[in-house]
Amino acid sequence: MTTTELTKKDMLLESLNELDFSNEPQFAQDLRSNAKNALENLEFPTSKTEYWKYTRIGKIINKTYGIQHEASDSNIAITPYLIPELDANIVVLVNGFFRADLSKIENESGLNISSLKDAVNNSNPFVENSLGKIAKAEKELFIALNTLCYTDGVAIEVDKNAVIEKPIHILNITNSDNLISNTRTIVKAEENSSIKIIESFVNLQGNESFTNNVSEFFLNANSNLEYNKIQNKNGESYQISTEQAYQLKDSNFTINTITLQGTLVRNNLNIEVDAEGCETNLNGIYLGEGKNHTDNHTIVDHLKPNCNSNEVYKGILDDNSVGVFNGKVFVRPDAQKTNAFQQNNNILLTDDAVINSKPELEIYADDVKCSHGSTIGQLDDEAIFYLQARGVSKRSAINMMITAFVKDALDRVSIPALKNYIDLKIDSRFN
Amino acid sequence: MLKIKDLHANIEDKEILKGINLEIKAGEVHAIMGPNGSGKSTLSAVLAGREEYEVTKGEVDFGGSDILEMSPEDRAREGLFLAFQYPIEIPGVSNINFLKTAINETRAHKGQEAVTAKEFLALVKEKSALVELDAKLASRSVNEGFSGGEKKRNEIFQMAMLEPKLSILDETDSGLDIDALRIVANGVNTLKSKDNATVVITHYQRLLDYIVPDFVHVLYNGKIVKTGGKELALELEEKGYDWIKEEVDAVS
């Protein structure tokens, strides 16, 4: 077994070895070589790996991928991927590279958005100090893989007291078939600052391509960061996405994960709450169809007292699709007066759809309020008939009930245009 | 308007309706009474198009079309309305929004233009007043957290909004106190016209004091065994169903 797995890893690394990072500053090269060492000790997960128990990654690793070596200048119409009626800074990544020509960035006072590659090459102090600090290569194979060969991405810094109203919309586009891309996002919200980010993962063709992206979020005291992840890749597509957040005193971190499409999507969210008075919101919607497989793994680690975390994930699984939810909350001995609430609700539209739901609490403090719940059900046939009996088509009735079901997982999306956009995507899916 | 001919229907291979014949004309009010298990609710379910029931024989003509071939929504769009005995709670689905969809899908079905937001709101205001349904209830999730009486008033509110040709009220009186009963009956009577018809399914004569029927039918063992005027309801109230059962059982 071991030899074949090594071969797969080697094969994957072989194509990535063509990437040349020798011009990068020393800190960046050190990070990459550290990741390379970490990879020596990490293996692809198997069905015996608890963290990956319900998600087989054979589909991803049994393929050979090509890579893109540098940003191309091919023209891409990005309008179809924009969110209507949204005034945002648009950051476009194509096949792993920042495209200044397609982006529309106006850095206002207190905000600095740049390509990660530029930030690294300019030895941006924040990037130099923070890259890889919370998404650690030795922790996980796909983080290590990304750290070894990320090509580009986005670096965002929000200065102290800067409240940025205009959201940043990152369009992460794949438009080549059989391509592997490793993108990376790093965000720092300074004291008392506020920022909202949307990242859409989409493809234009890009069949059988694999996106392995990693994001790191640093929240300083009393900052506010909302990250909305929209996964909407059609055809055969694979994505492993890791978001790592670190929260300091009185900060507020919200992450909304909306998985509309994708053959195999795995989301790893890890949030370290390392100071008092923090709030953490993790919400998600996943719509499975065909044979799609969507896996959401979340960890909230409460290290300090007086913090709240809320988690609501809602899944609608159609056809032969499979969903996985594993939400873990740690309440460490110091974290007294923690309120942690976690909920995962699923509707299976067919007899063949599957959900593996596993909410977990590990509590080491004695004065906490924690709850978790998981439900699996079908749409209520009586309710569908009731709506039909008033003249509503069966399709509309089902759509109304699905929309009603998923609605409260959208409560933390604070950008109205985005909320409408997601509503419409859900509507058009079931209409 | 509605012609039922020799209607037989099963649920899970058990025959419940064993040859129903009934004709309803515009402007009429019919009451269908009968003991428990006689098939009253099955009849309304079959007419509304519940899938669990299998029609094994017979015809139902509604305004010139064969209704048994239609989906439940098309029956509703053609003007058939069923007020449920147990209205369903649907959390998260707004009462008003779903009615707007229902009205617009019905209009589209008939080739008419969609209702404007302004027209719709005026309609909601007018019709909710008719059954004294609080405007706040009208815009909440369908029946969620409604009292028994509010649910039944909401049924009549929906009926008023949809303006059906034929309304079937399935045990609408069950669980209602006298005030709620009066409000519901008043709503039904106000909506009555020479162009529409009402079928009242009930156990008790009480409702028929408020909604006065032109015909009273007694359903027993899957068949209509007796038809009379409103005085038949009074007789049933006084004597119970046993004498009818004896009459029928003696013949067979």
Side-chain angles (χ1 to χ4, degrees), chain A residues 382 386-394 396 407, chain B residues 50 73 76-77 82 92 98 102 105 143 155 158:
Chain A
E382 286 290 308
Y386 185 85
L387 296 171
Q388 283 182 279
R390 299 297 176 251
V392 175
S393 67
K394 189 166 189 176
S396 298
K407 218 186 286 175
Chain B
R50 262 191 202 276
E73 56 266 39
R77 292 165 184 172
L82 171 66
F98 114 75
E105 289 193 5
N143 295 321
E155 293 294 287
Q158 293 176 28

mmCIF file with all atom_site columns, all heavy atoms in Angstrom, chain A residues 382 386-394 396 407, chain B residues 50 73 76-77 82 92 98 102 105 143 155 158:
data_model
loop_
_atom_site.group_PDB
_atom_site.id
_atom_site.type_symbol
_atom_site.label_atom_id
_atom_site.label_alt_id
_atom_site.label_comp_id
_atom_site.label_asym_id
_atom_site.label_entity_id
_atom_site.label_seq_id
_atom_site.pdbx_PDB_ins_code
_atom_site.Cartn_x
_atom_site.Cartn_y
_atom_site.Cartn_z
_atom_site.occupancy
_atom_site.B_iso_or_equiv
_atom_site.pdbx_formal_charge
_atom_site.auth_seq_id
_atom_site.auth_comp_id
_atom_site.auth_asym_id
_atom_site.auth_atom_id
_atom_site.pdbx_PDB_model_num
ATOM 1   N N   . GLU A 1 382 ? -47.145 16.186 2.982   1.00 0.00 ? 382 GLU A N   1
ATOM 2   C CA  . GLU A 1 382 ? -48.431 16.821 3.309   1.00 0.00 ? 382 GLU A CA  1
ATOM 3   C C   . GLU A 1 382 ? -48.378 18.311 2.982   1.00 0.00 ? 382 GLU A C   1
ATOM 4   O O   . GLU A 1 382 ? -49.335 18.891 2.470   1.00 0.00 ? 382 GLU A O   1
ATOM 5   C CB  . GLU A 1 382 ? -48.727 16.647 4.802   1.00 0.00 ? 382 GLU A CB  1
ATOM 6   C CG  . GLU A 1 382 ? -49.145 15.240 5.187   1.00 0.00 ? 382 GLU A CG  1
ATOM 7   C CD  . GLU A 1 382 ? -50.526 14.905 4.640   1.00 0.00 ? 382 GLU A CD  1
ATOM 8   O OE1 . GLU A 1 382 ? -51.452 15.705 4.872   1.00 0.00 ? 382 GLU A OE1 1
ATOM 9   O OE2 . GLU A 1 382 ? -50.657 13.862 3.968   1.00 0.00 ? 382 GLU A OE2 1
ATOM 10  N N   . TYR A 1 386 ? -50.511 20.396 0.278   1.00 0.00 ? 386 TYR A N   1
ATOM 11  C CA  . TYR A 1 386 ? -51.288 21.566 0.725   1.00 0.00 ? 386 TYR A CA  1
ATOM 12  C C   . TYR A 1 386 ? -51.054 22.742 -0.222  1.00 0.00 ? 386 TYR A C   1
ATOM 13  O O   . TYR A 1 386 ? -51.986 23.412 -0.651  1.00 0.00 ? 386 TYR A O   1
ATOM 14  C CB  . TYR A 1 386 ? -50.863 21.923 2.147   1.00 0.00 ? 386 TYR A CB  1
ATOM 15  C CG  . TYR A 1 386 ? -51.647 23.043 2.796   1.00 0.00 ? 386 TYR A CG  1
ATOM 16  C CD1 . TYR A 1 386 ? -52.852 22.786 3.454   1.00 0.00 ? 386 TYR A CD1 1
ATOM 17  C CD2 . TYR A 1 386 ? -51.187 24.355 2.768   1.00 0.00 ? 386 TYR A CD2 1
ATOM 18  C CE1 . TYR A 1 386 ? -53.565 23.806 4.067   1.00 0.00 ? 386 TYR A CE1 1
ATOM 19  C CE2 . TYR A 1 386 ? -51.897 25.383 3.377   1.00 0.00 ? 386 TYR A CE2 1
ATOM 20  C CZ  . TYR A 1 386 ? -53.087 25.100 4.026   1.00 0.00 ? 386 TYR A CZ  1
ATOM 21  O OH  . TYR A 1 386 ? -53.791 26.115 4.632   1.00 0.00 ? 386 TYR A OH  1
ATOM 22  N N   . LEU A 1 387 ? -49.785 22.977 -0.563  1.00 0.00 ? 387 LEU A N   1
ATOM 23  C CA  . LEU A 1 387 ? -49.462 24.092 -1.457  1.00 0.00 ? 387 LEU A CA  1
ATOM 24  C C   . LEU A 1 387 ? -50.012 23.830 -2.870  1.00 0.00 ? 387 LEU A C   1
ATOM 25  O O   . LEU A 1 387 ? -50.556 24.732 -3.505  1.00 0.00 ? 387 LEU A O   1
ATOM 26  C CB  . LEU A 1 387 ? -47.945 24.314 -1.507  1.00 0.00 ? 387 LEU A CB  1
ATOM 27  C CG  . LEU A 1 387 ? -47.308 24.737 -0.171  1.00 0.00 ? 387 LEU A CG  1
ATOM 28  C CD1 . LEU A 1 387 ? -45.786 24.717 -0.266  1.00 0.00 ? 387 LEU A CD1 1
ATOM 29  C CD2 . LEU A 1 387 ? -47.772 26.127 0.253   1.00 0.00 ? 387 LEU A CD2 1
ATOM 30  N N   . GLN A 1 388 ? -49.901 22.578 -3.320  1.00 0.00 ? 388 GLN A N   1
ATOM 31  C CA  . GLN A 1 388 ? -50.450 22.228 -4.636  1.00 0.00 ? 388 GLN A CA  1
ATOM 32  C C   . GLN A 1 388 ? -51.957 22.456 -4.682  1.00 0.00 ? 388 GLN A C   1
ATOM 33  O O   . GLN A 1 388 ? -52.501 22.913 -5.665  1.00 0.00 ? 388 GLN A O   1
ATOM 34  C CB  . GLN A 1 388 ? -50.194 20.751 -4.949  1.00 0.00 ? 388 GLN A CB  1
ATOM 35  C CG  . GLN A 1 388 ? -48.788 20.424 -5.384  1.00 0.00 ? 388 GLN A CG  1
ATOM 36  C CD  . GLN A 1 388 ? -48.711 18.940 -5.693  1.00 0.00 ? 388 GLN A CD  1
ATOM 37  O OE1 . GLN A 1 388 ? -48.579 18.126 -4.791  1.00 0.00 ? 388 GLN A OE1 1
ATOM 38  N NE2 . GLN A 1 388 ? -48.794 18.573 -6.957  1.00 0.00 ? 388 GLN A NE2 1
ATOM 39  N N   . ALA A 1 389 ? -52.611 22.119 -3.573  1.00 0.00 ? 389 ALA A N   1
ATOM 40  C CA  . ALA A 1 389 ? -54.068 22.227 -3.516  1.00 0.00 ? 389 ALA A CA  1
ATOM 41  C C   . ALA A 1 389 ? -54.524 23.689 -3.575  1.00 0.00 ? 389 ALA A C   1
ATOM 42  O O   . ALA A 1 389 ? -55.703 23.970 -3.689  1.00 0.00 ? 389 ALA A O   1
ATOM 43  C CB  . ALA A 1 389 ? -54.606 21.563 -2.249  1.00 0.00 ? 389 ALA A CB  1
ATOM 44  N N   . ARG A 1 390 ? -53.557 24.608 -3.490  1.00 0.00 ? 390 ARG A N   1
ATOM 45  C CA  . ARG A 1 390 ? -53.892 26.031 -3.643  1.00 0.00 ? 390 ARG A CA  1
ATOM 46  C C   . ARG A 1 390 ? -53.523 26.549 -5.028  1.00 0.00 ? 390 ARG A C   1
ATOM 47  O O   . ARG A 1 390 ? -53.591 27.736 -5.292  1.00 0.00 ? 390 ARG A O   1
ATOM 48  C CB  . ARG A 1 390 ? -53.150 26.855 -2.575  1.00 0.00 ? 390 ARG A CB  1
ATOM 49  C CG  . ARG A 1 390 ? -53.503 26.486 -1.144  1.00 0.00 ? 390 ARG A CG  1
ATOM 50  C CD  . ARG A 1 390 ? -54.974 26.766 -0.863  1.00 0.00 ? 390 ARG A CD  1
ATOM 51  N NE  . ARG A 1 390 ? -55.371 26.340 0.465   1.00 0.00 ? 390 ARG A NE  1
ATOM 52  C CZ  . ARG A 1 390 ? -56.156 25.290 0.714   1.00 0.00 ? 390 ARG A CZ  1
ATOM 53  N NH1 . ARG A 1 390 ? -56.604 24.555 -0.284  1.00 0.00 ? 390 ARG A NH1 1
ATOM 54  N NH2 . ARG A 1 390 ? -56.493 24.983 1.940   1.00 0.00 ? 390 ARG A NH2 1
ATOM 55  N N   . GLY A 1 391 ? -52.996 25.646 -5.878  1.00 0.00 ? 391 GLY A N   1
ATOM 56  C CA  . GLY A 1 391 ? -52.667 26.047 -7.241  1.00 0.00 ? 391 GLY A CA  1
ATOM 57  C C   . GLY A 1 391 ? -51.192 26.245 -7.496  1.00 0.00 ? 391 GLY A C   1
ATOM 58  O O   . GLY A 1 391 ? -50.788 26.659 -8.577  1.00 0.00 ? 391 GLY A O   1
ATOM 59  N N   . VAL A 1 392 ? -50.364 25.948 -6.497  1.00 0.00 ? 392 VAL A N   1
ATOM 60  C CA  . VAL A 1 392 ? -48.919 26.093 -6.664  1.00 0.00 ? 392 VAL A CA  1
ATOM 61  C C   . VAL A 1 392 ? -48.388 24.797 -7.283  1.00 0.00 ? 392 VAL A C   1
ATOM 62  O O   . VAL A 1 392 ? -48.726 23.710 -6.819  1.00 0.00 ? 392 VAL A O   1
ATOM 63  C CB  . VAL A 1 392 ? -48.248 26.336 -5.293  1.00 0.00 ? 392 VAL A CB  1
ATOM 64  C CG1 . VAL A 1 392 ? -46.733 26.379 -5.426  1.00 0.00 ? 392 VAL A CG1 1
ATOM 65  C CG2 . VAL A 1 392 ? -48.759 27.635 -4.669  1.00 0.00 ? 392 VAL A CG2 1
ATOM 66  N N   . SER A 1 393 ? -47.554 24.906 -8.320  1.00 0.00 ? 393 SER A N   1
ATOM 67  C CA  . SER A 1 393 ? -47.034 23.689 -8.944  1.00 0.00 ? 393 SER A CA  1
ATOM 68  C C   . SER A 1 393 ? -46.163 22.934 -7.946  1.00 0.00 ? 393 SER A C   1
ATOM 69  O O   . SER A 1 393 ? -45.613 23.522 -7.010  1.00 0.00 ? 393 SER A O   1
ATOM 70  C CB  . SER A 1 393 ? -46.200 24.046 -10.179 1.00 0.00 ? 393 SER A CB  1
ATOM 71  O OG  . SER A 1 393 ? -45.033 24.736 -9.772  1.00 0.00 ? 393 SER A OG  1
ATOM 72  N N   . LYS A 1 394 ? -46.037 21.646 -8.178  1.00 0.00 ? 394 LYS A N   1
ATOM 73  C CA  . LYS A 1 394 ? -45.248 20.818 -7.268  1.00 0.00 ? 394 LYS A CA  1
ATOM 74  C C   . LYS A 1 394 ? -43.811 21.341 -7.188  1.00 0.00 ? 394 LYS A C   1
ATOM 75  O O   . LYS A 1 394 ? -43.222 21.439 -6.115  1.00 0.00 ? 394 LYS A O   1
ATOM 76  C CB  . LYS A 1 394 ? -45.254 19.370 -7.759  1.00 0.00 ? 394 LYS A CB  1
ATOM 77  C CG  . LYS A 1 394 ? -44.640 18.416 -6.760  1.00 0.00 ? 394 LYS A CG  1
ATOM 78  C CD  . LYS A 1 394 ? -44.950 16.973 -7.107  1.00 0.00 ? 394 LYS A CD  1
ATOM 79  C CE  . LYS A 1 394 ? -44.510 16.072 -5.965  1.00 0.00 ? 394 LYS A CE  1
ATOM 80  N NZ  . LYS A 1 394 ? -44.871 14.671 -6.198  1.00 0.00 ? 394 LYS A NZ  1
ATOM 81  N N   . SER A 1 396 ? -42.709 24.431 -7.687  1.00 0.00 ? 396 SER A N   1
ATOM 82  C CA  . SER A 1 396 ? -42.653 25.663 -6.882  1.00 0.00 ? 396 SER A CA  1
ATOM 83  C C   . SER A 1 396 ? -42.809 25.357 -5.406  1.00 0.00 ? 396 SER A C   1
ATOM 84  O O   . SER A 1 396 ? -42.169 25.974 -4.556  1.00 0.00 ? 396 SER A O   1
ATOM 85  C CB  . SER A 1 396 ? -43.757 26.640 -7.279  1.00 0.00 ? 396 SER A CB  1
ATOM 86  O OG  . SER A 1 396 ? -43.634 27.045 -8.595  1.00 0.00 ? 396 SER A OG  1
ATOM 87  N N   . LYS A 1 407 ? -32.997 28.957 4.621   1.00 0.00 ? 407 LYS A N   1
ATOM 88  C CA  . LYS A 1 407 ? -32.943 30.407 4.850   1.00 0.00 ? 407 LYS A CA  1
ATOM 89  C C   . LYS A 1 407 ? -32.135 30.827 6.080   1.00 0.00 ? 407 LYS A C   1
ATOM 90  O O   . LYS A 1 407 ? -31.314 31.748 6.005   1.00 0.00 ? 407 LYS A O   1
ATOM 91  C CB  . LYS A 1 407 ? -34.368 30.937 4.976   1.00 0.00 ? 407 LYS A CB  1
ATOM 92  C CG  . LYS A 1 407 ? -34.572 32.281 4.331   1.00 0.00 ? 407 LYS A CG  1
ATOM 93  C CD  . LYS A 1 407 ? -35.966 32.822 4.617   1.00 0.00 ? 407 LYS A CD  1
ATOM 94  C CE  . LYS A 1 407 ? -37.048 32.125 3.829   1.00 0.00 ? 407 LYS A CE  1
ATOM 95  N NZ  . LYS A 1 407 ? -38.388 32.554 4.168   1.00 0.00 ? 407 LYS A NZ  1
ATOM 96  N N   . ARG B 2 50  ? -55.326 13.755 -4.001  1.00 0.00 ? 50  ARG B N   1
ATOM 97  C CA  . ARG B 2 50  ? -54.291 13.116 -3.188  1.00 0.00 ? 50  ARG B CA  1
ATOM 98  C C   . ARG B 2 50  ? -53.828 11.824 -3.834  1.00 0.00 ? 50  ARG B C   1
ATOM 99  O O   . ARG B 2 50  ? -54.643 10.993 -4.243  1.00 0.00 ? 50  ARG B O   1
ATOM 100 C CB  . ARG B 2 50  ? -54.862 12.778 -1.805  1.00 0.00 ? 50  ARG B CB  1
ATOM 101 C CG  . ARG B 2 50  ? -54.527 13.796 -0.774  1.00 0.00 ? 50  ARG B CG  1
ATOM 102 C CD  . ARG B 2 50  ? -54.896 13.261 0.594   1.00 0.00 ? 50  ARG B CD  1
ATOM 103 N NE  . ARG B 2 50  ? -55.069 14.344 1.536   1.00 0.00 ? 50  ARG B NE  1
ATOM 104 C CZ  . ARG B 2 50  ? -54.067 14.908 2.199   1.00 0.00 ? 50  ARG B CZ  1
ATOM 105 N NH1 . ARG B 2 50  ? -52.846 14.461 2.042   1.00 0.00 ? 50  ARG B NH1 1
ATOM 106 N NH2 . ARG B 2 50  ? -54.297 15.901 3.006   1.00 0.00 ? 50  ARG B NH2 1
ATOM 107 N N   . GLU B 2 73  ? -52.562 20.729 -8.533  1.00 0.00 ? 73  GLU B N   1
ATOM 108 C CA  . GLU B 2 73  ? -52.487 22.172 -8.775  1.00 0.00 ? 73  GLU B CA  1
ATOM 109 C C   . GLU B 2 73  ? -53.388 22.611 -9.916  1.00 0.00 ? 73  GLU B C   1
ATOM 110 O O   . GLU B 2 73  ? -53.984 23.683 -9.869  1.00 0.00 ? 73  GLU B O   1
ATOM 111 C CB  . GLU B 2 73  ? -51.044 22.630 -8.996  1.00 0.00 ? 73  GLU B CB  1
ATOM 112 C CG  . GLU B 2 73  ? -50.261 21.941 -10.096 1.00 0.00 ? 73  GLU B CG  1
ATOM 113 C CD  . GLU B 2 73  ? -49.444 20.765 -9.588  1.00 0.00 ? 73  GLU B CD  1
ATOM 114 O OE1 . GLU B 2 73  ? -49.923 20.014 -8.709  1.00 0.00 ? 73  GLU B OE1 1
ATOM 115 O OE2 . GLU B 2 73  ? -48.309 20.571 -10.093 1.00 0.00 ? 73  GLU B OE2 1
ATOM 116 N N   . ALA B 2 76  ? -56.903 22.906 -8.697  1.00 0.00 ? 76  ALA B N   1
ATOM 117 C CA  . ALA B 2 76  ? -57.069 24.160 -7.958  1.00 0.00 ? 76  ALA B CA  1
ATOM 118 C C   . ALA B 2 76  ? -57.176 25.331 -8.925  1.00 0.00 ? 76  ALA B C   1
ATOM 119 O O   . ALA B 2 76  ? -58.019 26.218 -8.758  1.00 0.00 ? 76  ALA B O   1
ATOM 120 C CB  . ALA B 2 76  ? -55.891 24.356 -7.002  1.00 0.00 ? 76  ALA B CB  1
ATOM 121 N N   . ARG B 2 77  ? -56.321 25.309 -9.959  1.00 0.00 ? 77  ARG B N   1
ATOM 122 C CA  . ARG B 2 77  ? -56.317 26.415 -10.920 1.00 0.00 ? 77  ARG B CA  1
ATOM 123 C C   . ARG B 2 77  ? -57.616 26.477 -11.711 1.00 0.00 ? 77  ARG B C   1
ATOM 124 O O   . ARG B 2 77  ? -58.045 27.534 -12.160 1.00 0.00 ? 77  ARG B O   1
ATOM 125 C CB  . ARG B 2 77  ? -55.132 26.258 -11.875 1.00 0.00 ? 77  ARG B CB  1
ATOM 126 C CG  . ARG B 2 77  ? -53.797 26.463 -11.194 1.00 0.00 ? 77  ARG B CG  1
ATOM 127 C CD  . ARG B 2 77  ? -52.670 25.940 -12.056 1.00 0.00 ? 77  ARG B CD  1
ATOM 128 N NE  . ARG B 2 77  ? -51.391 26.043 -11.352 1.00 0.00 ? 77  ARG B NE  1
ATOM 129 C CZ  . ARG B 2 77  ? -50.269 25.512 -11.803 1.00 0.00 ? 77  ARG B CZ  1
ATOM 130 N NH1 . ARG B 2 77  ? -50.260 24.814 -12.936 1.00 0.00 ? 77  ARG B NH1 1
ATOM 131 N NH2 . ARG B 2 77  ? -49.148 25.653 -11.127 1.00 0.00 ? 77  ARG B NH2 1
ATOM 132 N N   . LEU B 2 82  ? -60.160 23.032 -1.635  1.00 0.00 ? 82  LEU B N   1
ATOM 133 C CA  . LEU B 2 82  ? -60.429 22.179 -0.481  1.00 0.00 ? 82  LEU B CA  1
ATOM 134 C C   . LEU B 2 82  ? -59.954 22.891 0.779   1.00 0.00 ? 82  LEU B C   1
ATOM 135 O O   . LEU B 2 82  ? -58.771 23.217 0.904   1.00 0.00 ? 82  LEU B O   1
ATOM 136 C CB  . LEU B 2 82  ? -59.682 20.839 -0.638  1.00 0.00 ? 82  LEU B CB  1
ATOM 137 C CG  . LEU B 2 82  ? -59.696 19.915 0.592   1.00 0.00 ? 82  LEU B CG  1
ATOM 138 C CD1 . LEU B 2 82  ? -61.120 19.420 0.892   1.00 0.00 ? 82  LEU B CD1 1
ATOM 139 C CD2 . LEU B 2 82  ? -58.770 18.721 0.386   1.00 0.00 ? 82  LEU B CD2 1
ATOM 140 N N   . GLY B 2 92  ? -41.432 28.717 7.768   1.00 0.00 ? 92  GLY B N   1
ATOM 141 C CA  . GLY B 2 92  ? -40.525 29.375 6.835   1.00 0.00 ? 92  GLY B CA  1
ATOM 142 C C   . GLY B 2 92  ? -41.154 29.785 5.513   1.00 0.00 ? 92  GLY B C   1
ATOM 143 O O   . GLY B 2 92  ? -40.582 30.554 4.768   1.00 0.00 ? 92  GLY B O   1
ATOM 144 N N   . PHE B 2 98  ? -46.781 32.662 -0.568  1.00 0.00 ? 98  PHE B N   1
ATOM 145 C CA  . PHE B 2 98  ? -47.228 31.447 -1.260  1.00 0.00 ? 98  PHE B CA  1
ATOM 146 C C   . PHE B 2 98  ? -48.563 31.689 -1.963  1.00 0.00 ? 98  PHE B C   1
ATOM 147 O O   . PHE B 2 98  ? -48.797 31.208 -3.062  1.00 0.00 ? 98  PHE B O   1
ATOM 148 C CB  . PHE B 2 98  ? -47.245 30.245 -0.294  1.00 0.00 ? 98  PHE B CB  1
ATOM 149 C CG  . PHE B 2 98  ? -48.584 29.667 0.018   1.00 0.00 ? 98  PHE B CG  1
ATOM 150 C CD1 . PHE B 2 98  ? -49.258 28.887 -0.916  1.00 0.00 ? 98  PHE B CD1 1
ATOM 151 C CD2 . PHE B 2 98  ? -49.186 29.881 1.250   1.00 0.00 ? 98  PHE B CD2 1
ATOM 152 C CE1 . PHE B 2 98  ? -50.501 28.339 -0.623  1.00 0.00 ? 98  PHE B CE1 1
ATOM 153 C CE2 . PHE B 2 98  ? -50.413 29.340 1.539   1.00 0.00 ? 98  PHE B CE2 1
ATOM 154 C CZ  . PHE B 2 98  ? -51.083 28.581 0.604   1.00 0.00 ? 98  PHE B CZ  1
ATOM 155 N N   . ALA B 2 102 ? -49.511 31.221 -5.786  1.00 0.00 ? 102 ALA B N   1
ATOM 156 C CA  . ALA B 2 102 ? -50.686 30.434 -6.175  1.00 0.00 ? 102 ALA B CA  1
ATOM 157 C C   . ALA B 2 102 ? -51.568 31.235 -7.137  1.00 0.00 ? 102 ALA B C   1
ATOM 158 O O   . ALA B 2 102 ? -52.005 30.725 -8.175  1.00 0.00 ? 102 ALA B O   1
ATOM 159 C CB  . ALA B 2 102 ? -51.479 30.026 -4.936  1.00 0.00 ? 102 ALA B CB  1
ATOM 160 N N   . GLU B 2 105 ? -49.665 31.735 -10.523 1.00 0.00 ? 105 GLU B N   1
ATOM 161 C CA  . GLU B 2 105 ? -49.584 30.509 -11.330 1.00 0.00 ? 105 GLU B CA  1
ATOM 162 C C   . GLU B 2 105 ? -50.968 30.171 -11.899 1.00 0.00 ? 105 GLU B C   1
ATOM 163 O O   . GLU B 2 105 ? -51.091 29.666 -13.008 1.00 0.00 ? 105 GLU B O   1
ATOM 164 C CB  . GLU B 2 105 ? -48.997 29.349 -10.514 1.00 0.00 ? 105 GLU B CB  1
ATOM 165 C CG  . GLU B 2 105 ? -47.497 29.539 -10.255 1.00 0.00 ? 105 GLU B CG  1
ATOM 166 C CD  . GLU B 2 105 ? -46.785 28.295 -9.721  1.00 0.00 ? 105 GLU B CD  1
ATOM 167 O OE1 . GLU B 2 105 ? -47.427 27.220 -9.627  1.00 0.00 ? 105 GLU B OE1 1
ATOM 168 O OE2 . GLU B 2 105 ? -45.581 28.401 -9.395  1.00 0.00 ? 105 GLU B OE2 1
ATOM 169 N N   . ASN B 2 143 ? -49.738 28.870 8.728   1.00 0.00 ? 143 ASN B N   1
ATOM 170 C CA  . ASN B 2 143 ? -50.353 28.183 9.876   1.00 0.00 ? 143 ASN B CA  1
ATOM 171 C C   . ASN B 2 143 ? -49.432 27.941 11.074  1.00 0.00 ? 143 ASN B C   1
ATOM 172 O O   . ASN B 2 143 ? -49.848 27.326 12.051  1.00 0.00 ? 143 ASN B O   1
ATOM 173 C CB  . ASN B 2 143 ? -50.967 26.828 9.457   1.00 0.00 ? 143 ASN B CB  1
ATOM 174 C CG  . ASN B 2 143 ? -52.130 26.997 8.500   1.00 0.00 ? 143 ASN B CG  1
ATOM 175 O OD1 . ASN B 2 143 ? -52.925 27.927 8.670   1.00 0.00 ? 143 ASN B OD1 1
ATOM 176 N ND2 . ASN B 2 143 ? -52.236 26.134 7.519   1.00 0.00 ? 143 ASN B ND2 1
ATOM 177 N N   . GLU B 2 155 ? -57.917 29.133 6.301   1.00 0.00 ? 155 GLU B N   1
ATOM 178 C CA  . GLU B 2 155 ? -58.418 28.363 5.162   1.00 0.00 ? 155 GLU B CA  1
ATOM 179 C C   . GLU B 2 155 ? -59.428 29.193 4.370   1.00 0.00 ? 155 GLU B C   1
ATOM 180 O O   . GLU B 2 155 ? -59.381 29.242 3.143   1.00 0.00 ? 155 GLU B O   1
ATOM 181 C CB  . GLU B 2 155 ? -59.086 27.058 5.632   1.00 0.00 ? 155 GLU B CB  1
ATOM 182 C CG  . GLU B 2 155 ? -58.140 26.049 6.259   1.00 0.00 ? 155 GLU B CG  1
ATOM 183 C CD  . GLU B 2 155 ? -57.139 25.489 5.273   1.00 0.00 ? 155 GLU B CD  1
ATOM 184 O OE1 . GLU B 2 155 ? -57.507 24.677 4.413   1.00 0.00 ? 155 GLU B OE1 1
ATOM 185 O OE2 . GLU B 2 155 ? -55.961 25.899 5.373   1.00 0.00 ? 155 GLU B OE2 1
ATOM 186 N N   . GLN B 2 158 ? -57.798 32.012 2.500   1.00 0.00 ? 158 GLN B N   1
ATOM 187 C CA  . GLN B 2 158 ? -57.195 31.548 1.245   1.00 0.00 ? 158 GLN B CA  1
ATOM 188 C C   . GLN B 2 158 ? -58.259 31.316 0.184   1.00 0.00 ? 158 GLN B C   1
ATOM 189 O O   . GLN B 2 158 ? -58.081 31.643 -0.993  1.00 0.00 ? 158 GLN B O   1
ATOM 190 C CB  . GLN B 2 158 ? -56.401 30.259 1.485   1.00 0.00 ? 158 GLN B CB  1
ATOM 191 C CG  . GLN B 2 158 ? -55.175 30.475 2.366   1.00 0.00 ? 158 GLN B CG  1
ATOM 192 C CD  . GLN B 2 158 ? -54.459 29.173 2.671   1.00 0.00 ? 158 GLN B CD  1
ATOM 193 O OE1 . GLN B 2 158 ? -54.516 28.234 1.897   1.00 0.00 ? 158 GLN B OE1 1
ATOM 194 N NE2 . GLN B 2 158 ? -53.791 29.125 3.804   1.00 0.00 ? 158 GLN B NE2 1
#
